[in-house]
Amino acid sequence: MVDTKREIERKFEFSKAKSARRGVPDLTGTAAIAAVTDQGTVDLDAVYYDTPDQRLAADGLTLRRRTGGADEGWHLKLPVSPGVRDEVGAALSDTVPPALAALVRSRVRDAGLGPQVRLVSSRRVSHLLDADGALLAELSTDEVLAERGDATAGWTEVEVELADGVDPDLLDAVEKTFRKAGLRVCDAPSKLARALAETDAQPPARPSGGGPEGTAGAHVVAYLAEQRDALVAQDPAVRRNLPDSVHQMRVATRRLRSAFKTYRKVLDRDATDPIGEELRWLAAELGVDRDQEVLMERLQAQLAELPRTLLTGPVRSRLRTWNTGRRTGSRRRALAALDSDRYVTLLNSLDALLDAPPLLDGAAGSPEKVLAKAVLRDYARLATRIDGALALDAGKERDLALHEARKAAKRVRYAAESAVPELGKPAKHLAKAVKKVQTLLGDHQDSVVARDALRGLAAQAADAGESAFTWGVLHGREEALAERRERELPDVWAKASAPALRAALR
């Protein structure tokens, strides 16, 4: 059993010894704070777990086992934004709870977790209350002793953590009051980060193997590393079933695969193709869940648009039952992929490739020239697929051709977006134009998928003795929408294929 809460806080330290002797100023009257009540002192003993090479610390995560205080137990803190973290807690036990171990698997992999740092704190707690006596925030003053092997460090830290639903502007007001009293915001984002720094154990920097700065190779490897990091970071979000997490993780896998193909003059495809195939496997496993989510949202929206006179039979309950059955299996499949040895091998392969990238001669070229040529190659491939699809008669063959064109459009968009740091506005404008093509073709493909699902729902309804009328109505609407998108495609493509867009890249 695990619990999650959003933690919004700010940490402070005394800037001078004189300020420390005066102590924490009275915050009564600061913003909405009407009273400060003393809650006493508690002793805390926390042991922080990590891999021997500190992979969690390197990514800003902390995993601890803490005794003392009202919330003793295991806590995993996942960064959300500066000063904001999600804290996932589990009951006190001797070993790392499996639920928390799963959330750090994309970082830890086969390295194993063990005690790295111990922090012993004496914490004085006060509550900051508004005029009605409601809790606004908790103020803690910690006397901290850090132990890492034979090394030790000590300091005083002041922390203000907001209660649920309180406006974060309160922290700005507190900071202003503290600043006048000689307290400043801590440089270290967490106690663990400070403990590591003060005991000379900073997490190692990741290697950079893209060749000299200013080359195409350096740019491409940096982009790939960014996508690898996004994939790894989304892993715990997918496991927690957070909104859009599956989609974002799938996008990272697709961007990696796409870049391997786009930049085949920079990276040896003998090395990247096998990894690309594994990324395709992962995207497919994740896609079952994501595709069902998208399909359900589409069908619900279509139902909501129908007048009540066209709703015959228990259509909404049938749709929910159908979705629950498909979604339960799809989520299990996604989690099974993340728990597999194959997934860990994929992540390790990505790391190895980025640590020692298989650079080709093109990697030494200027990024402006190499990236522009790569984007234009992908554009030419898209143009061929669009022209081929438009030349076909309406029907299944054309649907398949438009689906392939959609994938090609996505690759051009990803390529142009990856080149924006070097090519600037011309790449940004092309990406924006091609995205419109991709969106239109995506809506067309979603209609193809929806019509197949609607035929299945109609058959289920008929077998159960229910009316299939509503499912037929929705099928007809989807068919009309697909025809409309096909009519719109030539105009949208004409704008995206304007010669001026490509000339600006050269």
Side-chain angles (χ1 to χ4, degrees):
M1 182 70 177
V2 296
D3 298 307
T4 302
K5 67 175 182 176
R6 178 62 55 87
E7 179 184 83
I8 303 176
E9 65 182 16
R10 199 164 297 176
K11 299 177 183 295
F12 303 88
E13 61 185 342
F14 293 100
S15 56
K16 297 179 181 179
K18 183 178 180 181
S19 302
R21 287 193 296 271
R22 287 198 301 264
V24 178
D26 184 5
L27 290 172
T28 303
T30 298
I33 301 171
V36 180
T37 61
D38 186 6
Q39 301 297 308
T41 301
V42 62
D43 293 327
L44 306 174
D45 191 340
V47 177
Y48 287 77
Y49 283 65
D50 205 336
T51 61
D53 57 354
Q54 300 166 44
R55 297 180 187 180
L56 301 185
D59 283 351
L61 282 71
T62 61
L63 174 62
R64 74 184 180 207
R65 180 186 186 276
R66 190 169 77 181
T67 56
D71 65 341
E72 70 175 9
W74 286 88
H75 307 107
L76 171 64
K77 298 194 178 187
L78 301 157
V80 176
S81 60
V84 181
R85 295 187 291 183
D86 279 347
E87 180 179 286
V88 185
L92 196 64
S93 61
D94 292 336
T95 58
V96 179
L100 300 190
L103 293 178
V104 297
R105 189 168 190 256
S106 63
R107 271 93 172 185
V108 173
R109 302 174 202 173
D110 299 321
L113 290 164
Q116 302 297 326
V117 177
R118 182 187 182 197
L119 296 182
V120 179
S121 305
S122 176
R123 168 170 290 183
R124 181 178 178 181
V125 180
S126 297
H127 284 175
L128 309 182
L129 310 177
D130 66 12
D132 296 324
L135 180 65
L136 294 172
E138 185 173 276
L139 168 67
S140 304
T141 303
D142 294 343
E143 300 294 336
V144 184
L145 173 65
E147 302 173 351
R148 188 185 65 83
D150 295 331
T152 61
W155 66 88
T156 300
E157 182 174 291
V158 180
E159 177 181 297
V160 180
E161 181 179 344
L162 297 180
D164 292 343
V166 175
D167 190 335
D169 286 347
L170 178 65
L171 292 176
D172 294 332
V174 169
E175 181 181 340
K176 185 176 180 180
T177 299
F178 276 0
R179 206 164 44 235
K180 294 176 180 178
L183 286 97
R184 65 186 179 197
V185 176
C186 292
D187 293 330
S190 66
K191 287 184 176 68
L192 176 62
R194 181 165 184 173
L196 291 172
E198 297 203 8
T199 59
D200 196 27
Q202 292 279 24
R206 284 180 173 155
S208 178
E213 289 187 13
T215 64
H219 176 91
V220 171
V221 171
Y223 175 77
L224 293 174
E226 180 183 327
Q227 301 311 315
R228 182 271 316 273
D229 291 348
L231 192 159
V232 168
Q234 286 299 326
D235 176 295
V238 171
R239 294 176 187 274
R240 295 166 61 201
N241 204 22
L242 296 185
D244 205 39
S245 57
V246 171
H247 173 61
Q248 292 302 324
M249 190 174 190
R250 198 178 180 195
V251 166
T253 65
R254 285 173 165 172
R255 285 184 181 274
L256 284 163
R257 283 189 68 225
S258 183
F260 287 159
K261 295 175 181 178
T262 295
Y263 297 118
R264 60 185 181 273
K265 302 292 186 180
V266 174
L267 295 171
D268 186 352
R269 290 192 63 175
D270 286 343
T272 61
D273 278 357
I275 299 176
E277 284 302 304
E278 291 303 284
L279 287 166
R280 183 170 69 170
W281 159 77
L282 178 59
E285 297 301 296
L286 295 170
V288 175
D289 192 54
R290 171 61 181 171
D291 290 346
Q292 180 62 26
E293 179 184 18
V294 171
L295 178 57
M296 180 61 174
E297 290 173 354
R298 186 181 185 94
L299 297 181
Q300 286 178 318
Q302 291 277 28
L303 272 179
E305 293 175 1
L306 289 183
R308 295 184 64 181
T309 54
L310 297 182
L311 299 177
T312 61
V315 289
R316 287 193 171 88
S317 62
R318 173 154 298 284
L319 182 61
R320 286 193 299 269
T321 300
W322 169 83
N323 181 64
T324 299
R326 290 167 64 103
R327 193 76 190 274
T328 300
S330 65
R331 174 147 178 82
R332 280 201 304 264
R333 182 170 170 177
L335 293 177
L338 298 186
D339 287 336
S340 69
D341 293 339
R342 184 175 182 178
Y343 172 62
V344 170
T345 300
L346 167 58
L347 295 179
N348 289 337
S349 297
L350 278 170
D351 286 352
L353 181 136
L354 292 171
D355 290 347
L359 299 178
L360 300 175
D361 292 343
S366 71
E368 293 86 355
K369 291 182 179 180
V370 173
L371 271 57
K373 287 182 179 179
V375 172
L376 292 172
R377 277 196 305 268
D378 282 351
Y379 167 83
R381 175 173 169 270
L382 168 62
T384 299
R385 293 198 176 184
I386 290 284
D387 292 343
L390 290 175
L392 296 172
D393 292 331
K396 185 174 182 180
E397 188 177 353
R398 190 182 204 191
D399 288 344
L400 291 172
L402 290 172
H403 181 43
E404 291 302 311
R406 180 188 67 85
K407 291 189 286 186
K410 185 178 296 185
R411 181 161 147 187
V412 175
R413 174 192 156 202
Y414 288 165
E417 288 175 346
S418 73
V420 166
E422 294 292 343
L423 303 182
K425 288 184 178 180
K428 188 174 183 180
H429 292 159
L430 179 61
K432 185 177 180 180
V434 173
K435 184 178 180 181
K436 292 179 180 179
V437 176
Q438 176 197 328
T439 300
L440 184 148
L441 293 174
D443 198 23
H444 181 276
Q445 175 61 18
D446 287 347
S447 177
V448 172
V449 174
R451 277 177 277 159
D452 183 63
L454 288 166
R455 286 191 291 270
L457 282 162
Q460 290 179 14
D463 289 344
E466 302 164 4
S467 171
F469 173 77
T470 300
W471 306 118
V473 171
L474 292 182
H475 188 281
R477 286 166 61 94
E478 286 287 2
E479 202 166 41
L481 184 146
E483 291 173 356
R484 188 162 63 248
R485 294 293 176 262
E486 291 183 31
R487 291 194 301 270
E488 294 168 350
L489 177 58
D491 287 341
V492 175
W493 173 239
K495 294 176 182 178
S497 59
L501 282 174
R502 303 191 302 283
L505 293 175
R506 294 187 173 93

